[in-house]
Amino acid sequence: MKRRTRYAGLAFALWVGAASAQDQADAARQAARALEDASVQLDRADSSRDRVRALTRTVQAYEAGLAAMRDGLREAAIRETELSRKLQSQEAEIARLLGVLSSMGGKAAPSAMLHPQGPVGAARAGMMLASVTPGLAAEARRLQGDLTEVTNLRTLQQSAAETLREGLSGVQRARTELSQAIADRTDLPMRFTEDPVRAAILISSTETLEGFASGLSEIAGDEKLNNLPPIDDRKGALELPVQGQILRRAGEADAAGVARPGIVIAAQPEALVTTPTAATVRYAGPLLDYGLVTILEPQPDLLFVLAGLQVIYGEAGQVLPEGSPVGLMGGGYDGDNPSPSVEGAGAGRTETLYIEVRQGDGPVDPLTWFAGR
């Protein structure tokens, strides 16, 4: 119960941090509910597999909540800047308005009713004042509204630091517990056992991802038939393995002019990467210039290549259930001193996950399989 309270206690803080915009507030509420549900599942987990599943959902709920808060605070910062510039540009006008309102602040003295042109002039002046005063009052209300909004936005951003610190500490704790739960898990089925000698030979002799993928079957020993259900009916609807945004699509050149057949996803540092469907781990480890790579096989003649990880979970031959964690992105923040300007405004560093899909003898556009949101 303590664990549940520790995780779920941040739900309201995540919602408050994102409440500067309706969309972000709704997203944060959903993340808060997901965090509560995951905490309940974690309390009820009896097996290592259940514990891994609950902790995976806990991390994902934290990531979704923090993403909503970043988006909300980014919009708050933009709006605060716009209002501040607007008020600065109207400084002289505001000063004149305040002066007029100040001079009209008290009750009119009898002498104020006199006019050099007599009663007719006084009447005309009164009519002009009556027509101008509503406009001045409306302008004063608009000004007061802008000043109040600026004050509220600044208060929101200043309070974000502690919320961020709690959220980041919470997700780090959940990631640590998840890593330990994965290490303790022993109930995953094995489809084959990797031959380390053959794997080393294949890695040293290959020069391309295509060449490595075509030789994957060579590193498997005592392989069993694939009994996973086909996923052709889910083509184009699979969730991306990581929360993030598509940075480059298949065939688009990067800054160095290199075009690859996969897509690149920009994700937050240390974001959790999961398998979008049940799959066999065909390979997990360093590969060429791709960094740490996990290659998943959801069905025969179909490979999902996930490259650019800093931490990988699982080992070759394991059969992973859908939604299982396969690794973490790189990067990371100082847990003792997260930067509100970076985390809150959403302008901080991002990590990139390269996703390539190989079907049959060659690559295909990953977005024919994944929902490219």
Side-chain angles (χ1 to χ4, degrees):
M1 184 61 66
K2 289 183 178 179
R3 182 187 296 109
R4 176 180 172 184
T5 303
R6 182 180 69 186
Y7 287 144
L10 285 172
F12 181 74
L14 293 176
W15 172 75
V16 169
S20 60
Q22 187 61 43
D23 289 344
Q24 284 73 33
D26 291 342
R29 289 189 191 99
Q30 293 177 8
R33 288 193 293 268
L35 185 60
E36 174 69 17
D37 292 342
S39 298
V40 172
Q41 292 179 14
L42 188 57
D43 286 338
R44 296 175 178 174
D46 294 327
S47 66
S48 58
R49 180 177 295 189
D50 290 341
R51 183 170 170 77
V52 168
R53 185 182 298 111
L55 284 168
T56 298
R57 293 178 179 176
T58 299
V59 172
Q60 290 174 329
Y62 268 118
E63 291 180 348
L66 289 170
M69 184 166 60
R70 293 184 192 101
D71 290 342
L73 290 176
R74 178 172 59 245
E75 291 191 8
I78 293 173
R79 178 61 177 163
E80 191 267 337
T81 300
E82 291 175 350
L83 287 174
S84 296
R85 290 175 177 173
K86 176 183 176 183
L87 292 173
Q88 289 174 2
S89 68
Q90 297 177 338
E91 188 173 354
E93 180 183 346
I94 292 170
R96 289 194 296 270
L97 173 63
L98 292 177
V100 172
L101 292 175
S102 177
S103 66
M104 296 171 57
K107 293 183 178 180
S111 60
M113 301 301 294
L114 301 177
H115 195 277
Q117 296 181 4
V120 175
R124 288 175 177 172
M127 293 173 63
M128 292 178 61
L129 183 62
S131 64
V132 171
T133 300
L136 290 174
E139 183 67 13
R141 287 194 296 270
R142 182 197 63 76
L143 175 62
Q144 181 61 46
D146 288 348
L147 290 172
T148 300
E149 186 175 357
V150 168
T151 301
N152 291 339
L153 289 170
R154 287 177 178 172
T155 301
L156 173 65
Q157 294 177 78
Q158 290 169 358
S159 64
E162 183 59 30
T163 304
L164 283 166
R165 189 172 290 108
E166 292 180 7
L168 290 170
S169 296
V171 73
Q172 286 293 68
R173 285 195 301 269
R175 286 172 182 148
T176 300
E177 293 189 24
L178 175 60
S179 297
Q180 185 60 53
I182 291 173
D184 295 339
R185 182 177 57 187
T186 59
D187 55 352
L188 283 180
M190 295 290 295
R191 183 178 164 194
F192 65 86
T193 303
E194 182 186 56
D195 186 325
V197 176
R198 289 182 178 179
I201 292 174
L202 179 61
I203 293 173
S204 63
S205 62
T206 191
E207 296 181 355
T208 65
L209 179 58
E210 181 178 3
F212 184 81
S214 63
L216 277 178
S217 60
E218 300 176 5
I219 68 175
D222 301 323
E223 186 166 0
K224 304 173 185 177
L225 291 177
N226 187 352
N227 57 358
L228 293 175
I231 60 170
D232 296 287
D233 60 332
R234 301 175 63 187
K235 195 170 184 178
L238 295 178
E239 292 290 333
L240 290 170
V242 69
Q243 294 184 29
Q245 295 181 333
I246 297 176
L247 188 62
R248 279 192 301 276
R249 295 178 179 268
E252 292 183 353
D254 59 17
V258 178
R260 289 176 170 170
I263 61 175
V264 176
I265 306 296
Q268 288 296 320
E270 294 188 300
L272 182 64
V273 181
T274 59
T275 174
T277 181
T280 301
V281 180
R282 273 293 177 182
Y283 177 76
L287 181 63
L288 303 173
D289 60 345
Y290 289 91
L292 290 179
V293 174
T294 291
I295 300 179
L296 303 172
E297 184 184 57
Q299 64 184 29
D301 293 325
L302 180 64
L303 297 176
F304 294 160
V305 181
L306 310 178
L309 302 167
Q310 179 166 292
V311 176
I312 55 174
Y313 298 132
E315 58 185 76
Q318 285 183 335
V319 181
L320 302 178
E322 180 175 338
S324 295
V326 295
L328 297 175
M329 299 301 298
Y333 297 104
D334 182 354
D336 296 327
N337 187 29
S339 171
S341 62
V342 172
E343 279 284 311
R349 296 170 297 154
T350 56
E351 299 295 319
T352 56
L353 179 71
Y354 176 72
I355 303 174
E356 185 169 312
V357 175
R358 304 190 66 84
Q359 193 167 6
D361 296 329
V364 297
D365 185 349
L367 296 184
T368 61
W369 282 94
F370 294 98
R373 289 186 294 274

